[in-house]
Amino acid sequence: MDEAKMDENEWGYHGEGNKSLVVAHAQRCVVLRFLKFPPNRKKTSEETFQHLQNIVDFGKNVMKEFLGENYVHCGEVVRLPLDFVKQLCLKIQSERPGCVPCTNAQVLYLFFFPESRCDKDLDTLSGYALCLPNLARLQTYCFAEHRPILCVEIKPKCGFIPFSTDVTHEMKHKVCRYCMHQHLKVANGKWKQISKYCPLDLYSGNKQRMHFALKSLLQEAQNNLKIFKNGELIYGCRDSRSPSADWSELAHHLKPFFFPSNGLASGPHCTRAVIRELVRVITRVLLSGSDKGRLGALRLGPGSRGPLVCEASPFGRSLHRQGKPSLEHSGLPKGCLLYKTLQVQMLDLLDIEGLYPLYRRVERYLEEFPEERKTLQIDGPYDETFYQKLLDLSTEDDGTLAFALTKVQQYRVAMTAKDCSIMIALSPCLQDASPDQRPIVPSSRSRLAFSVSVLDLDLKPYESIPHQYVLDGKIVNYYSKTVRAKDAAMMSTRFKESEECTLVLHKV
Ligand SMILES: O=P(O)(O)O[C@@H]1[C@@H](OP(=O)(O)O)[C@H](OP(=O)(O)O)[C@H](O)[C@H](OP(=O)(O)O)[C@H]1OP(=O)(O)O
Ligand SMILES: Nc1ncnc2c1ncn2[C@@H]1O[C@H](COP(=O)(O)OP(=O)(O)OP(=O)(O)O)[C@@H](O)[C@H]1O
């Protein structure tokens, strides 16, 4: 990329999260990722550069090691002309969904007010951004130019139920955090309705359960599923006001990839057949992979797993009703990205309840010796030394600062893996085309070349731990309250019914 010849008209808004905003190049398969900060926490250029460099280093030295070379794209920090950044910001402002702009050119900051992102400013002051491959498009240019490209982005969230003995709420041993959190999110108005998706179904490795999980995501995408066609978002929920899922429109987009094998070209049967095919292909892709990471070093023992089925998942509940509570666990193939991601998530060995007192121990030490923050590598550098310390899986607390620090850093890495997204890019290849290095998945219409990548691998900040602790309590308490209220309502209905019954008997 020639930084000196940047033209804002060649870039378009692509997407954003809580911490960053991404623009994509119209022709080339690259994106620029800019940081966003709360208004009261503006950083200097040097700090922004360091923040971005830390993201790159963490990807290279830690996540690549754990997840494997092929899945992780670290990108590089680039310095852009400030004028380009300013113009780009003005341009994309109108392309951002649901944003009311409020510009103040004097301070070179743009304030956006998207529904749930209104507390963040886009960094236009430093001129630094991350340049990454556009994962919504395959990275082979011959495909990118001539063939339609479909990209499915999944944010799977935490795929296990805590196994730590430090957990005090019984509910946390039965229901996964995602399913519990759903109730709080709906109550807070973040989403309209509770999703049937449960991460434990997706991570089960059991095809039936994975199909159910993916269909549930398609019904209620929230921020866990997005679908792009040729780099454009065609399916996904932006906020609680987004219209509900339109499967027939989605099926229309998908037909070039998955023509229904039943021969129907339109109508609800065709829609269902196309969606089924999408789900089948995505499951196959998710179970594929032979990329070797250094996860061997991380393998957790058989005792370090909680229940394999979440009691709140409709799939789990139906198994329970059928008297098959402990479904045969097919497990994930060890080379696939879901397996590797789950292993990293399980670096959260103690759960936030066990971790929080250790965080407090580190905090007390830092209060006494603030200058030690650097030596402890709280804010980096995320180098080989940092990585090596993560491999110590002991849970015996010897009361030392070193033990507490290792668990804190492992927890931050685990939280990162619990919040990352998986990008699957698919593109049809000709029957006679000699396959390049890319793996192929057969579909009803043609063979599809695919790539799987992981994104949003920014290490979660040390400072977020108290927030996690408080949030955990809120999620569990709210869920327990809701479940108790439901049980009480059911009991009272039954009680009423039995009262009525008694009255009838009296009359007789
Ligand atoms: O705590 P959670 O599980 O709600 O996760 C947050 C995400 O909410 P979600 O539950 O996926 O809707 C949240 O997603 P949204 O921005 O709400 O789409 C962020 O990813 C947040 O991470 P960060 O603070 O931006 O680094 C996430 O916070 P972390 O907990 O990962 O720090
Ligand atoms: N390399 C990439 N290629 C294509 N699209 C990308 C890439 N990186 C990010 N995106 C898109 O931009 C969106 C926002 O990026 P990202 O998830 O990194 O933001 P974030 O602010 O860190 O998210 P969060 O709210 O989870 O903290 C993603 O959901 C994805 O759709």
Side-chain angles (χ1 to χ4, degrees), residues 227-258:
I227 304 181
F228 300 86
K229 189 172 159 184
N230 302 331
E232 298 280 320
L233 185 72
I234 57 160
Y235 198 81
C237 183
R238 288 193 178 108
D239 55 51
S240 67
R241 285 190 306 198
S242 292
S244 51
D246 183 348
W247 277 17
S248 63
E249 198 185 315
L250 174 64
H252 176 74
H253 280 295
L254 296 180
K255 273 191 219 158
F257 302 89
F258 314 110

PDB file of all heavy atoms in Angstrom, residues 227-258:
ATOM      1  N   ILE A 227     -23.513 -12.049   7.427  1.00  0.00           N
ATOM      2  CA  ILE A 227     -23.184 -12.678   6.144  1.00  0.00           C
ATOM      3  C   ILE A 227     -22.895 -11.570   5.125  1.00  0.00           C
ATOM      4  O   ILE A 227     -23.658 -10.604   5.006  1.00  0.00           O
ATOM      5  CB  ILE A 227     -24.321 -13.612   5.656  1.00  0.00           C
ATOM      6  CG1 ILE A 227     -24.619 -14.667   6.733  1.00  0.00           C
ATOM      7  CG2 ILE A 227     -23.951 -14.284   4.337  1.00  0.00           C
ATOM      8  CD1 ILE A 227     -25.708 -15.661   6.380  1.00  0.00           C
ATOM      9  N   PHE A 228     -21.781 -11.710   4.447  1.00  0.00           N
ATOM     10  CA  PHE A 228     -21.389 -10.743   3.420  1.00  0.00           C
ATOM     11  C   PHE A 228     -21.364 -11.444   2.059  1.00  0.00           C
ATOM     12  O   PHE A 228     -20.962 -12.606   1.969  1.00  0.00           O
ATOM     13  CB  PHE A 228     -19.965 -10.222   3.670  1.00  0.00           C
ATOM     14  CG  PHE A 228     -19.776  -9.534   4.993  1.00  0.00           C
ATOM     15  CD1 PHE A 228     -19.465 -10.254   6.139  1.00  0.00           C
ATOM     16  CD2 PHE A 228     -19.877  -8.149   5.092  1.00  0.00           C
ATOM     17  CE1 PHE A 228     -19.275  -9.627   7.362  1.00  0.00           C
ATOM     18  CE2 PHE A 228     -19.683  -7.509   6.310  1.00  0.00           C
ATOM     19  CZ  PHE A 228     -19.379  -8.240   7.446  1.00  0.00           C
ATOM     20  N   LYS A 229     -21.807 -10.713   1.026  1.00  0.00           N
ATOM     21  CA  LYS A 229     -21.647 -11.249  -0.332  1.00  0.00           C
ATOM     22  C   LYS A 229     -20.820 -10.230  -1.110  1.00  0.00           C
ATOM     23  O   LYS A 229     -21.173  -9.034  -1.122  1.00  0.00           O
ATOM     24  CB  LYS A 229     -23.017 -11.437  -0.977  1.00  0.00           C
ATOM     25  CG  LYS A 229     -22.964 -12.185  -2.291  1.00  0.00           C
ATOM     26  CD  LYS A 229     -24.380 -12.478  -2.740  1.00  0.00           C
ATOM     27  CE  LYS A 229     -24.468 -12.750  -4.196  1.00  0.00           C
ATOM     28  NZ  LYS A 229     -25.861 -12.941  -4.627  1.00  0.00           N
ATOM     29  N   ASN A 230     -19.771 -10.670  -1.689  1.00  0.00           N
ATOM     30  CA  ASN A 230     -18.825  -9.790  -2.386  1.00  0.00           C
ATOM     31  C   ASN A 230     -18.441  -8.594  -1.512  1.00  0.00           C
ATOM     32  O   ASN A 230     -18.388  -7.448  -1.979  1.00  0.00           O
ATOM     33  CB  ASN A 230     -19.407  -9.323  -3.720  1.00  0.00           C
ATOM     34  CG  ASN A 230     -19.749 -10.500  -4.600  1.00  0.00           C
ATOM     35  OD1 ASN A 230     -19.115 -11.553  -4.513  1.00  0.00           O
ATOM     36  ND2 ASN A 230     -20.763 -10.361  -5.430  1.00  0.00           N
ATOM     37  N   GLY A 231     -18.240  -8.867  -0.250  1.00  0.00           N
ATOM     38  CA  GLY A 231     -17.788  -7.827   0.679  1.00  0.00           C
ATOM     39  C   GLY A 231     -18.895  -6.969   1.262  1.00  0.00           C
ATOM     40  O   GLY A 231     -18.647  -6.166   2.155  1.00  0.00           O
ATOM     41  N   GLU A 232     -20.147  -7.109   0.771  1.00  0.00           N
ATOM     42  CA  GLU A 232     -21.264  -6.287   1.262  1.00  0.00           C
ATOM     43  C   GLU A 232     -22.063  -7.072   2.288  1.00  0.00           C
ATOM     44  O   GLU A 232     -22.390  -8.244   2.045  1.00  0.00           O
ATOM     45  CB  GLU A 232     -22.232  -5.961   0.113  1.00  0.00           C
ATOM     46  CG  GLU A 232     -21.648  -5.153  -1.016  1.00  0.00           C
ATOM     47  CD  GLU A 232     -21.588  -3.683  -0.664  1.00  0.00           C
ATOM     48  OE1 GLU A 232     -22.548  -3.198  -0.058  1.00  0.00           O
ATOM     49  OE2 GLU A 232     -20.564  -3.049  -0.990  1.00  0.00           O
ATOM     50  N   LEU A 233     -22.443  -6.399   3.365  1.00  0.00           N
ATOM     51  CA  LEU A 233     -23.264  -7.074   4.379  1.00  0.00           C
ATOM     52  C   LEU A 233     -24.655  -7.349   3.815  1.00  0.00           C
ATOM     53  O   LEU A 233     -25.357  -6.432   3.402  1.00  0.00           O
ATOM     54  CB  LEU A 233     -23.379  -6.179   5.621  1.00  0.00           C
ATOM     55  CG  LEU A 233     -24.104  -6.772   6.805  1.00  0.00           C
ATOM     56  CD1 LEU A 233     -23.277  -7.857   7.476  1.00  0.00           C
ATOM     57  CD2 LEU A 233     -24.460  -5.709   7.830  1.00  0.00           C
ATOM     58  N   ILE A 234     -25.057  -8.638   3.771  1.00  0.00           N
ATOM     59  CA  ILE A 234     -26.405  -8.956   3.266  1.00  0.00           C
ATOM     60  C   ILE A 234     -27.310  -9.529   4.353  1.00  0.00           C
ATOM     61  O   ILE A 234     -28.510  -9.674   4.159  1.00  0.00           O
ATOM     62  CB  ILE A 234     -26.354  -9.948   2.067  1.00  0.00           C
ATOM     63  CG1 ILE A 234     -25.629 -11.249   2.446  1.00  0.00           C
ATOM     64  CG2 ILE A 234     -25.760  -9.304   0.834  1.00  0.00           C
ATOM     65  CD1 ILE A 234     -25.953 -12.405   1.535  1.00  0.00           C
ATOM     66  N   TYR A 235     -26.741  -9.887   5.475  1.00  0.00           N
ATOM     67  CA  TYR A 235     -27.557 -10.485   6.533  1.00  0.00           C
ATOM     68  C   TYR A 235     -26.904 -10.247   7.877  1.00  0.00           C
ATOM     69  O   TYR A 235     -25.709 -10.456   8.042  1.00  0.00           O
ATOM     70  CB  TYR A 235     -27.672 -11.993   6.286  1.00  0.00           C
ATOM     71  CG  TYR A 235     -28.793 -12.655   7.032  1.00  0.00           C
ATOM     72  CD1 TYR A 235     -30.097 -12.597   6.564  1.00  0.00           C
ATOM     73  CD2 TYR A 235     -28.547 -13.356   8.208  1.00  0.00           C
ATOM     74  CE1 TYR A 235     -31.134 -13.213   7.242  1.00  0.00           C
ATOM     75  CE2 TYR A 235     -29.579 -13.975   8.889  1.00  0.00           C
ATOM     76  CZ  TYR A 235     -30.861 -13.900   8.403  1.00  0.00           C
ATOM     77  OH  TYR A 235     -31.884 -14.523   9.072  1.00  0.00           O
ATOM     78  N   GLY A 236     -27.666  -9.831   8.845  1.00  0.00           N
ATOM     79  CA  GLY A 236     -27.102  -9.587  10.175  1.00  0.00           C
ATOM     80  C   GLY A 236     -27.893  -8.497  10.841  1.00  0.00           C
ATOM     81  O   GLY A 236     -28.511  -7.663  10.179  1.00  0.00           O
ATOM     82  N   CYS A 237     -27.850  -8.523  12.151  1.00  0.00           N
ATOM     83  CA  CYS A 237     -28.670  -7.615  12.923  1.00  0.00           C
ATOM     84  C   CYS A 237     -27.767  -6.517  13.462  1.00  0.00           C
ATOM     85  O   CYS A 237     -26.745  -6.814  14.064  1.00  0.00           O
ATOM     86  CB  CYS A 237     -29.250  -8.448  14.057  1.00  0.00           C
ATOM     87  SG  CYS A 237     -30.362  -7.603  15.093  1.00  0.00           S
ATOM     88  N   ARG A 238     -28.151  -5.270  13.243  1.00  0.00           N
ATOM     89  CA  ARG A 238     -27.279  -4.198  13.729  1.00  0.00           C
ATOM     90  C   ARG A 238     -27.613  -3.812  15.159  1.00  0.00           C
ATOM     91  O   ARG A 238     -26.756  -3.529  15.950  1.00  0.00           O
ATOM     92  CB  ARG A 238     -27.393  -2.998  12.805  1.00  0.00           C
ATOM     93  CG  ARG A 238     -26.706  -3.308  11.491  1.00  0.00           C
ATOM     94  CD  ARG A 238     -26.501  -2.075  10.667  1.00  0.00           C
ATOM     95  NE  ARG A 238     -25.801  -2.451   9.459  1.00  0.00           N
ATOM     96  CZ  ARG A 238     -26.355  -2.488   8.266  1.00  0.00           C
ATOM     97  NH1 ARG A 238     -27.623  -2.183   8.115  1.00  0.00           N
ATOM     98  NH2 ARG A 238     -25.651  -2.830   7.212  1.00  0.00           N
ATOM     99  N   ASP A 239     -28.875  -3.744  15.465  1.00  0.00           N
ATOM    100  CA  ASP A 239     -29.275  -3.404  16.821  1.00  0.00           C
ATOM    101  C   ASP A 239     -30.692  -3.892  17.055  1.00  0.00           C
ATOM    102  O   ASP A 239     -31.295  -4.497  16.174  1.00  0.00           O
ATOM    103  CB  ASP A 239     -29.149  -1.899  17.065  1.00  0.00           C
ATOM    104  CG  ASP A 239     -29.921  -1.102  16.038  1.00  0.00           C
ATOM    105  OD1 ASP A 239     -31.105  -1.404  15.842  1.00  0.00           O
ATOM    106  OD2 ASP A 239     -29.333  -0.203  15.424  1.00  0.00           O
ATOM    107  N   SER A 240     -31.218  -3.616  18.246  1.00  0.00           N
ATOM    108  CA  SER A 240     -32.515  -4.184  18.617  1.00  0.00           C
ATOM    109  C   SER A 240     -33.652  -3.686  17.721  1.00  0.00           C
ATOM    110  O   SER A 240     -34.721  -4.263  17.700  1.00  0.00           O
ATOM    111  CB  SER A 240     -32.822  -3.868  20.077  1.00  0.00           C
ATOM    112  OG  SER A 240     -33.018  -2.485  20.201  1.00  0.00           O
ATOM    113  N   ARG A 241     -33.400  -2.597  16.968  1.00  0.00           N
ATOM    114  CA  ARG A 241     -34.475  -2.093  16.100  1.00  0.00           C
ATOM    115  C   ARG A 241     -34.437  -2.689  14.704  1.00  0.00           C
ATOM    116  O   ARG A 241     -35.279  -2.408  13.876  1.00  0.00           O
ATOM    117  CB  ARG A 241     -34.386  -0.566  16.008  1.00  0.00           C
ATOM    118  CG  ARG A 241     -34.883   0.107  17.284  1.00  0.00           C
ATOM    119  CD  ARG A 241     -35.013   1.578  17.083  1.00  0.00           C
ATOM    120  NE  ARG A 241     -33.746   2.137  16.583  1.00  0.00           N
ATOM    121  CZ  ARG A 241     -33.453   3.411  16.642  1.00  0.00           C
ATOM    122  NH1 ARG A 241     -34.291   4.252  17.144  1.00  0.00           N
ATOM    123  NH2 ARG A 241     -32.298   3.863  16.187  1.00  0.00           N
ATOM    124  N   SER A 242     -33.388  -3.489  14.420  1.00  0.00           N
ATOM    125  CA  SER A 242     -33.269  -4.073  13.084  1.00  0.00           C
ATOM    126  C   SER A 242     -34.487  -4.938  12.788  1.00  0.00           C
ATOM    127  O   SER A 242     -35.012  -5.595  13.675  1.00  0.00           O
ATOM    128  CB  SER A 242     -32.028  -4.961  12.998  1.00  0.00           C
ATOM    129  OG  SER A 242     -30.885  -4.179  13.084  1.00  0.00           O
ATOM    130  N   PRO A 243     -34.912  -4.948  11.509  1.00  0.00           N
ATOM    131  CA  PRO A 243     -36.054  -5.790  11.169  1.00  0.00           C
ATOM    132  C   PRO A 243     -35.707  -7.263  11.348  1.00  0.00           C
ATOM    133  O   PRO A 243     -34.535  -7.643  11.312  1.00  0.00           O
ATOM    134  CB  PRO A 243     -36.293  -5.472   9.692  1.00  0.00           C
ATOM    135  CG  PRO A 243     -35.046  -4.830   9.208  1.00  0.00           C
ATOM    136  CD  PRO A 243     -34.367  -4.223  10.379  1.00  0.00           C
ATOM    137  N   SER A 244     -36.736  -8.080  11.536  1.00  0.00           N
ATOM    138  CA  SER A 244     -36.438  -9.500  11.787  1.00  0.00           C
ATOM    139  C   SER A 244     -35.937 -10.176  10.501  1.00  0.00           C
ATOM    140  O   SER A 244     -36.114  -9.675   9.398  1.00  0.00           O
ATOM    141  CB  SER A 244     -37.654 -10.209  12.344  1.00  0.00           C
ATOM    142  OG  SER A 244     -38.744  -9.945  11.521  1.00  0.00           O
ATOM    143  N   ALA A 245     -35.317 -11.323  10.707  1.00  0.00           N
ATOM    144  CA  ALA A 245     -34.622 -12.032   9.640  1.00  0.00           C
ATOM    145  C   ALA A 245     -35.548 -12.354   8.472  1.00  0.00           C
ATOM    146  O   ALA A 245     -36.665 -12.797   8.665  1.00  0.00           O
ATOM    147  CB  ALA A 245     -34.071 -13.316  10.216  1.00  0.00           C
ATOM    148  N   ASP A 246     -35.072 -12.112   7.257  1.00  0.00           N
ATOM    149  CA  ASP A 246     -35.848 -12.447   6.074  1.00  0.00           C
ATOM    150  C   ASP A 246     -35.112 -13.559   5.323  1.00  0.00           C
ATOM    151  O   ASP A 246     -34.197 -13.308   4.552  1.00  0.00           O
ATOM    152  CB  ASP A 246     -36.020 -11.194   5.202  1.00  0.00           C
ATOM    153  CG  ASP A 246     -36.894 -11.476   3.992  1.00  0.00           C
ATOM    154  OD1 ASP A 246     -37.159 -12.665   3.709  1.00  0.00           O
ATOM    155  OD2 ASP A 246     -37.308 -10.508   3.333  1.00  0.00           O
ATOM    156  N   TRP A 247     -35.554 -14.795   5.552  1.00  0.00           N
ATOM    157  CA  TRP A 247     -34.849 -15.940   4.973  1.00  0.00           C
ATOM    158  C   TRP A 247     -35.030 -16.011   3.457  1.00  0.00           C
ATOM    159  O   TRP A 247     -34.149 -16.496   2.765  1.00  0.00           O
ATOM    160  CB  TRP A 247     -35.337 -17.246   5.623  1.00  0.00           C
ATOM    161  CG  TRP A 247     -34.655 -17.520   6.923  1.00  0.00           C
ATOM    162  CD1 TRP A 247     -33.957 -16.631   7.689  1.00  0.00           C
ATOM    163  CD2 TRP A 247     -34.587 -18.769   7.604  1.00  0.00           C
ATOM    164  NE1 TRP A 247     -33.474 -17.246   8.811  1.00  0.00           N
ATOM    165  CE2 TRP A 247     -33.849 -18.564   8.794  1.00  0.00           C
ATOM    166  CE3 TRP A 247     -35.082 -20.048   7.344  1.00  0.00           C
ATOM    167  CZ2 TRP A 247     -33.578 -19.578   9.701  1.00  0.00           C
ATOM    168  CZ3 TRP A 247     -34.829 -21.070   8.261  1.00  0.00           C
ATOM    169  CH2 TRP A 247     -34.081 -20.831   9.418  1.00  0.00           C
ATOM    170  N   SER A 248     -36.178 -15.547   2.946  1.00  0.00           N
ATOM    171  CA  SER A 248     -36.367 -15.699   1.489  1.00  0.00           C
ATOM    172  C   SER A 248     -35.408 -14.758   0.753  1.00  0.00           C
ATOM    173  O   SER A 248     -34.849 -15.104  -0.286  1.00  0.00           O
ATOM    174  CB  SER A 248     -37.818 -15.495   1.079  1.00  0.00           C
ATOM    175  OG  SER A 248     -38.187 -14.180   1.376  1.00  0.00           O
ATOM    176  N   GLU A 249     -35.178 -13.573   1.355  1.00  0.00           N
ATOM    177  CA  GLU A 249     -34.228 -12.647   0.740  1.00  0.00           C
ATOM    178  C   GLU A 249     -32.804 -13.232   0.818  1.00  0.00           C
ATOM    179  O   GLU A 249     -32.037 -13.171  -0.141  1.00  0.00           O
ATOM    180  CB  GLU A 249     -34.291 -11.312   1.461  1.00  0.00           C
ATOM    181  CG  GLU A 249     -33.693 -10.172   0.640  1.00  0.00           C
ATOM    182  CD  GLU A 249     -33.659  -8.888   1.440  1.00  0.00           C
ATOM    183  OE1 GLU A 249     -34.658  -8.569   2.102  1.00  0.00           O
ATOM    184  OE2 GLU A 249     -32.593  -8.222   1.400  1.00  0.00           O
ATOM    185  N   LEU A 250     -32.510 -13.818   1.968  1.00  0.00           N
ATOM    186  CA  LEU A 250     -31.185 -14.426   2.127  1.00  0.00           C
ATOM    187  C   LEU A 250     -30.998 -15.561   1.117  1.00  0.00           C
ATOM    188  O   LEU A 250     -29.962 -15.651   0.444  1.00  0.00           O
ATOM    189  CB  LEU A 250     -31.022 -14.951   3.564  1.00  0.00           C
ATOM    190  CG  LEU A 250     -29.735 -15.730   3.832  1.00  0.00           C
ATOM    191  CD1 LEU A 250     -28.492 -14.847   3.659  1.00  0.00           C
ATOM    192  CD2 LEU A 250     -29.720 -16.337   5.236  1.00  0.00           C
ATOM    193  N   ALA A 251     -32.030 -16.393   0.982  1.00  0.00           N
ATOM    194  CA  ALA A 251     -31.942 -17.535   0.062  1.00  0.00           C
ATOM    195  C   ALA A 251     -31.710 -17.038  -1.363  1.00  0.00           C
ATOM    196  O   ALA A 251     -30.950 -17.645  -2.136  1.00  0.00           O
ATOM    197  CB  ALA A 251     -33.215 -18.370   0.136  1.00  0.00           C
ATOM    198  N   HIS A 252     -32.338 -15.918  -1.694  1.00  0.00           N
ATOM    199  CA  HIS A 252     -32.161 -15.343  -3.028  1.00  0.00           C
ATOM    200  C   HIS A 252     -30.672 -15.019  -3.264  1.00  0.00           C
ATOM    201  O   HIS A 252     -30.110 -15.337  -4.298  1.00  0.00           O
ATOM    202  CB  HIS A 252     -33.036 -14.096  -3.138  1.00  0.00           C
ATOM    203  CG  HIS A 252     -32.872 -13.381  -4.425  1.00  0.00           C
ATOM    204  ND1 HIS A 252     -33.401 -13.862  -5.609  1.00  0.00           N
ATOM    205  CD2 HIS A 252     -32.191 -12.237  -4.731  1.00  0.00           C
ATOM    206  CE1 HIS A 252     -33.066 -13.030  -6.573  1.00  0.00           C
ATOM    207  NE2 HIS A 252     -32.331 -12.042  -6.082  1.00  0.00           N
ATOM    208  N   HIS A 253     -30.043 -14.415  -2.243  1.00  0.00           N
ATOM    209  CA  HIS A 253     -28.610 -14.087  -2.334  1.00  0.00           C
ATOM    210  C   HIS A 253     -27.747 -15.350  -2.430  1.00  0.00           C
ATOM    211  O   HIS A 253     -26.680 -15.340  -3.028  1.00  0.00           O
ATOM    212  CB  HIS A 253     -28.166 -13.323  -1.083  1.00  0.00           C
ATOM    213  CG  HIS A 253     -28.513 -11.876  -1.111  1.00  0.00           C
ATOM    214  ND1 HIS A 253     -27.974 -11.010  -2.020  1.00  0.00           N
ATOM    215  CD2 HIS A 253     -29.331 -11.140  -0.312  1.00  0.00           C
ATOM    216  CE1 HIS A 253     -28.446  -9.791  -1.784  1.00  0.00           C
ATOM    217  NE2 HIS A 253     -29.267  -9.845  -0.762  1.00  0.00           N
ATOM    218  N   LEU A 254     -28.219 -16.398  -1.777  1.00  0.00           N
ATOM    219  CA  LEU A 254     -27.376 -17.601  -1.649  1.00  0.00           C
ATOM    220  C   LEU A 254     -27.454 -18.536  -2.852  1.00  0.00           C
ATOM    221  O   LEU A 254     -26.627 -19.438  -2.985  1.00  0.00           O
ATOM    222  CB  LEU A 254     -27.761 -18.390  -0.394  1.00  0.00           C
ATOM    223  CG  LEU A 254     -27.549 -17.709   0.961  1.00  0.00           C
ATOM    224  CD1 LEU A 254     -27.983 -18.621   2.083  1.00  0.00           C
ATOM    225  CD2 LEU A 254     -26.086 -17.310   1.152  1.00  0.00           C
ATOM    226  N   LYS A 255     -28.461 -18.332  -3.706  1.00  0.00           N
ATOM    227  CA  LYS A 255     -28.678 -19.301  -4.797  1.00  0.00           C
ATOM    228  C   LYS A 255     -27.460 -19.550  -5.680  1.00  0.00           C
ATOM    229  O   LYS A 255     -27.228 -20.683  -6.078  1.00  0.00           O
ATOM    230  CB  LYS A 255     -29.902 -18.901  -5.611  1.00  0.00           C
ATOM    231  CG  LYS A 255     -31.182 -19.463  -5.008  1.00  0.00           C
ATOM    232  CD  LYS A 255     -32.317 -19.294  -5.956  1.00  0.00           C
ATOM    233  CE  LYS A 255     -33.564 -18.927  -5.210  1.00  0.00           C
ATOM    234  NZ  LYS A 255     -34.539 -18.269  -6.054  1.00  0.00           N
ATOM    235  N   PRO A 256     -26.658 -18.511  -5.992  1.00  0.00           N
ATOM    236  CA  PRO A 256     -25.472 -18.804  -6.825  1.00  0.00           C
ATOM    237  C   PRO A 256     -24.509 -19.788  -6.149  1.00  0.00           C
ATOM    238  O   PRO A 256     -23.670 -20.377  -6.805  1.00  0.00           O
ATOM    239  CB  PRO A 256     -24.801 -17.440  -6.997  1.00  0.00           C
ATOM    240  CG  PRO A 256     -25.823 -16.440  -6.655  1.00  0.00           C
ATOM    241  CD  PRO A 256     -26.790 -17.080  -5.713  1.00  0.00           C
ATOM    242  N   PHE A 257     -24.641 -19.946  -4.836  1.00  0.00           N
ATOM    243  CA  PHE A 257     -23.724 -20.833  -4.113  1.00  0.00           C
ATOM    244  C   PHE A 257     -24.366 -22.184  -3.812  1.00  0.00           C
ATOM    245  O   PHE A 257     -23.749 -23.219  -3.907  1.00  0.00           O
ATOM    246  CB  PHE A 257     -23.305 -20.185  -2.787  1.00  0.00           C
ATOM    247  CG  PHE A 257     -22.646 -18.865  -2.965  1.00  0.00           C
ATOM    248  CD1 PHE A 257     -23.391 -17.700  -3.009  1.00  0.00           C
ATOM    249  CD2 PHE A 257     -21.270 -18.794  -3.119  1.00  0.00           C
ATOM    250  CE1 PHE A 257     -22.774 -16.477  -3.196  1.00  0.00           C
ATOM    251  CE2 PHE A 257     -20.648 -17.578  -3.301  1.00  0.00           C
ATOM    252  CZ  PHE A 257     -21.403 -16.414  -3.343  1.00  0.00           C
ATOM    253  N   PHE A 258     -25.637 -22.133  -3.433  1.00  0.00           N
ATOM    254  CA  PHE A 258     -26.305 -23.369  -2.991  1.00  0.00           C
ATOM    255  C   PHE A 258     -27.630 -23.516  -3.706  1.00  0.00           C
ATOM    256  O   PHE A 258     -28.669 -23.170  -3.148  1.00  0.00           O
ATOM    257  CB  PHE A 258     -26.575 -23.334  -1.484  1.00  0.00           C
ATOM    258  CG  PHE A 258     -25.418 -22.872  -0.662  1.00  0.00           C
ATOM    259  CD1 PHE A 258     -25.442 -21.641  -0.028  1.00  0.00           C
ATOM    260  CD2 PHE A 258     -24.286 -23.664  -0.529  1.00  0.00           C
ATOM    261  CE1 PHE A 258     -24.379 -21.210   0.725  1.00  0.00           C
ATOM    262  CE2 PHE A 258     -23.220 -23.243   0.233  1.00  0.00           C
ATOM    263  CZ  PHE A 258     -23.265 -22.004   0.862  1.00  0.00           C
TER     264      PHE A 258
END
